């Protein structure tokens, strides 16, 4: 069984930065891709970005492109999300997820494992 645990959320002013981490554990952890999603109150879960676990290919939503950077440390089984120039509309619970289905996906249904989420609030 794979477990994902996010950390690094918090309250930040507009224009500020945060770095989220997602630590994976389990007997065998070999995803094809890992992604970040977010969900604001009253809204559906939204794709943020994804990275291929082996080759590091990335894909971002238009809303975060140029501000957020996804990365991973395979040796530590850890996923990161560096968020810069944060805006109030970035406020949400952020989830990491792992997929074993062989491609990079932007839809939640294609992910097999999810973390519990970490709150990010951007406000002055």
């Amino acid at each position: 069984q794979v477990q994902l645990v996010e950390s690094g959320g918090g309250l930040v002013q507009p224009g500020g930065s945060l770095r989220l981490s997602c630590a994976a554990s389990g007997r065998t952890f070999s995803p094809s891709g890992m992604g970040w999603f977010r969900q604001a109150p009253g809204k559906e879960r939204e794709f943020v970005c994804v990275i291929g676990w082996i080759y590091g290919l990335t894909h971002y939503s238009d809303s975060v492109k140029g501000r957020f950077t996804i990365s991973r440390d395979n040796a530590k089984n850890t996923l990161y999300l560096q968020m810069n120039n944060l805006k109030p509309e970035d406020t949400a619970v952020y989830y990491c997820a792992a997929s074993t289905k062989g491609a990079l996906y932007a839809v939640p249904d294609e992910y097999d494992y999810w973390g519990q989420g970490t709150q990010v609030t951007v406000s002055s």
Side-chain angles (χ1 to χ4, degrees), residues 38-46 89-93 95 119:
R38 64 188 183 186
Q39 189 165 19
K43 295 188 176 181
E44 294 186 353
R45 193 163 295 192
E46 173 191 19
E89 53 263 42
D90 295 317
T91 296
V93 177
Y95 298 90
Q119 177 71 46

Side-chain angles (χ1 to χ4, degrees), residues 1-7 21-31 34 53 76-79 95-98 100 112-117:
Q1 185 70 14
V2 172
Q3 288 188 322
L4 304 177
V5 179
E6 301 99 335
S7 60
S21 299
C22 172
S25 61
R27 178 179 293 184
T28 57
F29 183 69
S30 183
M34 290 197 71
W53 196 247
K76 295 181 179 179
N77 282 347
T78 301
L79 178 73
Y95 298 90
C96 68
T100 61
D112 306 286
Y113 305 101
W114 291 85
Q116 83 288 350

Side-chain angles (χ1 to χ4, degrees), residues 36-38 45-50 59-61 105-106 111:
W36 288 98
F37 290 77
R38 64 188 183 186
R45 193 163 295 192
E46 173 191 19
F47 169 76
V48 176
C49 53
V50 61
H59 176 63
Y60 295 87
S61 69
Y105 295 101
Y111 287 79

